Amino acid sequence: MNEKIYDLIIIGGGPAGITAGIYALRQRMKTLMITKDFGGQINRKAIKMENFPEFPEISGQELIEKLVSHLKKYPIEIELNEVIKVEKEKEHFRVKTKNKKEFFSKTVIVASGADPRSLGVKGEKEFLGKGVSYCAVCDGPLFKDKIVAVIGGGNSGFESAIFLGEYAKKIYILELSNQVRADQENQKRAQKTGKVEIILNAKVEEIKGEKFVKSLVYKDLVSQQLKEISVDGVFVEIGNVPSTSFVKDLVEFNEKGEIVVEFETMATKTPGLFAAGDCNAGKYKQIITACGEGAKAALSAYDYLQKLKS
Ligand SMILES: Cc1cc2nc3c(=O)[nH]c(=O)nc-3n(C[C@H](O)[C@H](O)[C@H](O)COP(=O)(O)OP(=O)(O)OC[C@H]3O[C@@H](n4cnc5c(N)ncnc54)[C@H](O)[C@@H]3O)c2cc1C
């Protein structure tokens, strides 16, 4: 085989993948990172981050810039692309990308995190980019003086509402259950905008519009009645789904589709394949935990290579 064989391919350029890259390059591993973007979910962070050590307050963009510039101090090769399949061949992995390229390596770290969960209702796909969004921080400024709905009453939903408070004139937060799940601090900040109205027991049924979104239909789960509110935008914040389908033949999944790993080393059931960050079955999904797991996965990949050599 004439193709170049890397020591390591890292899939994903979020906190887990970037940290794995820094650790791998410090071990002088020949490393390729294949990623759709840099920063991953941090790009969706609507208000400043307050729980990353050293930075009591830092915006998502600032943190990404710092992580990426640290990574690029080292000679990492980068392919901006989407991985669609990882295969294990005799002594190496074959990684296939959407643009029909193939890359080879002795080890792989999957750090592909998670994508936003969709509602699965009528109008959601049709109005994507025409009022429907999964990223308040990306699209919020387009809704100046408009009425918007945020679907989901967890921290992400409330943080989006706080951010949207800078632009929109009114923000509904629709929550499926009978109470919101956001922490007290986020609830207080959202109320302080003076623009937020919370609707509990609300199951979204349809997003309606013509060229752009015009209204939202939900079922009131107490009265069982359908209700319609006029909105210009709908921000969906109902959690995530792991981005892991491209390794389905090589790993074991839990019931959520997250990769089962051995947490001491981040190893999967396939020798040489590791999984770090939100794509695995770890309980706490945070930037700092993703970074820690990225570091562990890279050091484990290095140990694995050393054992192969000896
Ligand atoms: C709105 C919001 C607010 C948050 N707030 C905080 C907070 O305040 N503090 C905190 O600690 N955490 C917060 N989190 C959680 C935190 O962002 C995640 O835990 C963390 O980003 C996980 O890092 P990761 O590297 O595992 O995955 P991700 O950040 O999801 O990164 C995954 C990377 O993989 C890439 N990728 C995915 N699939 C493929 C593929 N097939 N091919 C190539 N590349 C691929 C993506 O493009 C991305 O670069 C928040 C999350 C959200 C959504």
Side-chain angles (χ1 to χ4, degrees):
M1 199 171 70
N2 293 322
E3 286 93 350
K4 181 169 181 177
I5 300 186
Y6 291 93
D7 291 328
L8 169 65
I9 290 179
I10 298 168
I11 303 169
I18 290 175
T19 312
I22 292 167
Y23 272 74
L25 288 151
R26 289 177 64 78
Q27 300 290 2
R28 299 188 186 282
M29 293 165 81
K30 204 170 14 150
T31 305
L32 171 70
M33 175 180 283
I34 308 177
T35 186
K36 290 192 287 187
D37 69 10
F38 283 108
Q41 291 168 66
I42 306 180
N43 286 295
R44 293 170 53 209
K45 178 76 183 168
I47 60 172
K48 287 199 172 174
M49 216 122 24
E50 295 177 350
N51 58 5
F52 194 75
E54 193 184 334
F55 305 111
E57 264 199 8
I58 186 164
S59 75
Q61 274 319 308
E62 272 179 280
L63 183 59
I64 293 169
E65 277 162 28
K66 285 182 191 297
L67 293 171
V68 173
S69 87
H70 189 171
L71 174 70
K72 288 188 174 169
K73 269 179 65 183
Y74 302 99
I76 187 149
E77 289 183 45
I78 292 163
E79 171 77 16
L80 276 178
N81 217 312
E82 180 177 347
V83 170
I84 53 164
K85 184 95 187 147
V86 179
E87 289 165 357
K88 175 98 198 242
E89 301 187 341
K90 251 190 194 158
E91 278 161 12
H92 59 261
F93 292 90
R94 180 190 293 263
V95 180
K96 298 179 176 175
T97 58
K98 203 171 176 180
N99 63 347
K100 298 195 171 28
K101 288 192 192 168
E102 293 191 336
F103 299 93
F104 300 88
S105 64
K106 296 174 195 158
T107 62
V108 169
I109 295 175
V110 181
S112 49
D115 296 319
R117 185 182 295 284
S118 54
L119 282 163
V121 299
K122 198 169 163 208
E124 183 180 20
K125 272 193 192 146
E126 190 184 340
F127 293 109
L128 182 62
K130 297 171 190 161
V132 173
S133 169
Y134 300 90
C135 180
V137 73
C138 319
D139 300 326
L142 303 172
F143 291 83
K144 194 159 172 30
D145 298 326
K146 305 272 188 200
I147 303 173
V148 298
V150 174
I151 316 302
N155 277 322
S156 296
F158 270 75
E159 289 183 8
S160 292
I162 296 162
F163 179 80
L164 289 163
E166 300 277 321
Y167 305 96
K169 67 175 178 200
K170 162 118 193 150
I171 303 140
Y172 294 103
I173 298 180
L174 277 78
E175 163 61 37
L176 186 65
S177 66
N178 61 3
Q179 56 181 16
V180 295
R181 291 159 290 113
D183 60 39
Q184 289 298 326
E185 186 58 32
N186 277 334
Q187 290 189 44
K188 244 195 277 165
R189 285 191 203 169
Q191 288 305 347
K192 229 168 124 190
T193 66
K195 297 177 177 181
V196 168
E197 180 179 335
I198 298 167
I199 306 179
L200 298 173
N201 305 297
K203 182 169 181 290
V204 177
E205 297 284 346
E206 186 178 349
I207 297 163
K208 289 184 173 175
E210 285 162 15
K211 234 175 156 186
F212 294 96
V213 167
K214 284 203 147 172
S215 69
L216 178 78
V217 179
Y218 68 94
K219 186 192 252 181
D220 179 330
L221 294 175
V222 176
S223 68
Q224 296 299 318
Q225 277 177 351
L226 287 181
K227 297 186 173 169
E228 187 164 354
I229 46 175
S230 294
V231 293
D232 305 293
V234 178
F235 289 85
V236 182
E237 291 288 0
I238 55 167
N240 290 324
V241 275
S243 167
T244 52
S245 57
F246 56 87
V247 278
K248 69 176 168 31
D249 302 328
L250 300 176
V251 301
E252 198 183 317
F253 289 128
N254 69 5
E255 68 291 347
K256 295 181 197 155
E258 297 165 333
I259 300 170
V260 174
V261 292
E262 195 272 289
F263 278 98
E264 202 171 281
T265 59
M266 316 318 296
T268 67
K269 72 170 193 184
T270 300
L273 182 69
F274 304 84
D278 282 18
C279 64
N280 74 27
K283 185 170 175 189
Y284 301 107
K285 313 282 194 205
Q286 290 286 285
I287 297 165
I288 193 81
T289 52
C291 291
E293 292 183 3
K296 285 204 271 179
L299 294 173
S300 300
Y302 178 73
D303 280 352
Y304 175 85
L305 283 181
Q306 295 309 105
K307 280 184 196 134
L308 274 190
K309 276 185 201 158
S310 59

